[in-house]
Amino acid sequence: MAEEPKETKPGFQNPVAGFGVTFKAMFKKRLTEQYPEQKKTTAPRFHGRHQLNRHPDGLEKCVGCELCAWACPADAIYVEGADNTDEERYSPGERYGRVYQINYARCILCGLCIEACPTRALTMTNEFELADSSRANLIYTKEQLLAGLEEGMVDSPHSIFPGTDEQDYYRGLVTEAAPGTVRQVAVSKGEKPEDQDQGVDA
Ligand code: SF4
Ligand code: SF4
C-alpha cells in the first residue's frame, strides 16, 4: 500500500522558521572563547608545563636520580646525573641533575613523573601554552625548566649553607642563602672564570 504523503509547511514559511532559529540563538549565552586575547583560568591543580624547584637558598632540589624518567610512560624525560664538588655545587647532597630535558612532543601531561620524584624537585605549573612549530623547540632544557630566583636565593652553583647538611635542607632548616654566598664558576658547563666576572649566565 502506498504511504500517505507527509504534511509540509507552505514553501514561504521555511525561511521564516530558519530566521526564528537564528533570532533565538542571538539571545543565548555565548560559548565561544576569545582565546588568545582572553585566557581561561585553569583549575588550581591543572597539569601544565613542569618546573624544577630550588631550595630557599637557590640550590637545586633535583638529585639526578632518574626516577621521573623511569616513571614516564611516554619516554619524554632525559636525565643525566653528576657529582657535586665543593668548588661546583648545584644541590646540597652528593648528586645533581647535570642534564635534564622534557620532550613536550611526547609528554601527555599525566603527572606520573612528579609522583615519582622523591625530593619534590619536579612539579607542574598551570602554564599550558606549549605549542610550537618546531619539534626541536619542544624539547625543554634544564635551564628552561629551572625555577626562577626568589628573594634570598643565589643562583647555583654555590656552597651549602655553613654548618648544615642535606638532611637540614629537607627538614626546612635552611630558609635563605647564607650572608656572603656567591655563585661559583660552572666549569663543567664550559663557563670560564672571566665569563662570570662579566655577569654571563651559564
Ligand atoms: S607528565 Fe607524564 S608523560 Fe609527561 S613527562 Fe611526566 S610522566 Fe612523562
Ligand atoms: S626531578 Fe626528581 S625524580 Fe627526576 S631526577 Fe630529579 S630528583 Fe630524581
Side-chain angles (χ1 to χ4, degrees):
M1 202 168 106
E3 208 174 299
E4 290 280 317
K6 282 186 186 156
E7 195 181 324
T8 54
K9 289 181 183 166
F12 72 90
Q13 281 189 11
N14 287 334
V16 175
F19 279 125
V21 172
T22 308
F23 190 71
K24 270 196 273 180
M26 285 168 68
F27 298 99
K28 281 189 181 162
K29 188 181 167 208
R30 287 190 190 175
L31 298 175
T32 310
E33 287 171 14
Q34 302 300 321
Y35 179 84
E37 287 79 18
Q38 293 169 15
K39 291 189 180 136
K40 197 169 178 179
T41 309
T42 56
R45 298 184 69 183
F46 178 82
H47 282 188
R49 184 181 73 79
H50 298 74
Q51 175 173 284
L52 284 171
N53 298 305
R54 297 176 185 265
H55 288 287
D57 68 346
L59 285 179
E60 298 163 19
K61 288 189 173 180
C62 178
V63 295
C65 66
E66 299 181 31
L67 284 176
C68 51
W70 283 99
C72 178
D75 199 13
I77 302 182
Y78 178 73
V79 185
E80 262 182 44
D83 288 340
N84 286 303
T85 61
D86 287 340
E87 297 73 37
E88 191 178 355
R89 172 170 294 284
Y90 292 89
S91 68
E94 189 183 337
R95 304 269 291 169
Y96 72 100
R98 191 181 72 82
V99 177
Y100 197 98
Q101 296 175 350
I102 296 184
N103 185 346
Y104 285 102
R106 284 174 170 261
C107 176
I108 54 173
L109 301 164
C110 65
L112 287 177
C113 50
I114 62 170
E115 299 291 337
C117 179
T119 62
R120 293 292 287 160
L122 190 65
T123 52
M124 293 172 103
T125 68
N126 286 20
E127 189 184 327
F128 58 85
E129 293 180 310
L130 300 170
D132 204 291
S133 54
S134 152
R135 294 180 72 84
N137 288 349
L138 288 171
I139 300 174
Y140 279 46
T141 61
K142 177 180 167 182
E143 286 66 31
Q144 290 170 289
L145 295 167
L146 200 57
L149 294 172
E150 292 177 15
E151 203 180 330
M153 292 182 174
V154 172
D155 197 6
S156 52
H158 67 73
S159 58
I160 195 170
F161 197 102
T164 65
D165 59 16
E166 187 181 11
Q167 302 295 326
D168 293 327
Y169 275 78
Y170 291 110
R171 287 193 195 105
L173 300 180
V174 177
T175 55
E176 60 181 358
T181 302
V182 289
R183 185 168 174 258
Q184 297 169 329
V185 180
V187 180
S188 64
K189 294 188 176 179
E191 186 178 301
K192 297 180 200 137
E194 57 267 28
D195 288 341
Q196 202 181 42
D197 293 342
Q198 293 161 12
V200 176
D201 271 345

